[in-house]
Amino acid sequence: QLQASGGGLVQAGGSLTLSCAASARMYVMGWFRQAPGKQREFVSYIIWPSGDPYYTDSVKGRFTISRNNAKNTLYLQMNSLKPEDTAVYYCAGGGYSRTAYYTPLAYNYWGKGTQVTVSS
C-alpha cells in the first residue's frame, strides 16, 4: 500500500527529501520516525483535500510536507538536518478518524520505513 524511499546518510545542516508512493488516495498521510531505543514519534501529517500541514515542534521551519494527489505520493523535504533527526522514517496513511492524527493509531496503512542518518 505504501512505499517509502529517499533516506540516506547526510551531514548536519544538509537536506534530504523522502517520498512515499501510495496505491490509492488517502484522506490523511503522515510521517513518523523511530530512533533506536525510542518510541515511534509523530513528525508531520497532511489532510486531503485541504492540504493543511501539521508538524511536531522540533521540525517546524525545517521540514515541509506535501502531497501530489494526482500521483498519490507524499513527500517530506527535510532541511537543516540535525543528528537528532537520525531515525527510521515511516510514512502512514488512513481515512477520516476521530483519533488525533499525530498518534499512530489514526493510521491504517504503514510503509516499511527508510533510514535517515545525520552525522555531526
Side-chain angles (χ1 to χ4, degrees):
Q1 293 277 358
L2 297 173
Q3 182 71 38
S5 61
L9 173 64
V10 64
Q11 289 188 333
S15 299
L16 280 175
T17 300
L18 305 183
S19 300
C20 177
S23 58
R25 181 174 295 174
M26 300 186 186
Y27 178 77
V28 58
M29 296 187 75
W31 293 96
F32 288 75
R33 65 187 181 186
Q34 188 166 15
K38 295 187 176 181
Q39 289 189 333
R40 190 168 299 190
E41 67 170 355
F42 164 71
V43 176
S44 180
Y45 73 80
I46 189 167
I47 299 289
W48 179 89
S50 68
D52 292 337
Y54 297 86
Y55 303 94
T56 191
D57 286 346
S58 63
V59 308
K60 284 180 181 177
R62 301 189 298 122
F63 290 11
T64 302
I65 191 171
S66 62
R67 60 189 293 175
N68 183 323
N69 292 322
K71 296 183 178 180
N72 293 330
T73 302
L74 179 72
Y75 303 96
L76 186 69
Q77 173 67 44
M78 305 185 293
N79 298 326
S80 302
L81 282 161
K82 304 175 181 180
E84 51 264 42
D85 294 318
T86 296
V88 177
Y89 282 70
Y90 297 90
C91 64
Y96 173 81
S97 174
R98 292 180 178 270
T99 304
Y101 294 124
Y102 53 78
T103 62
L105 290 175
Y107 299 84
N108 306 108
Y109 305 100
W110 291 85
K112 286 188 176 181
T114 184
Q115 177 70 47
V116 171
T117 303
V118 184
S119 63
S120 56

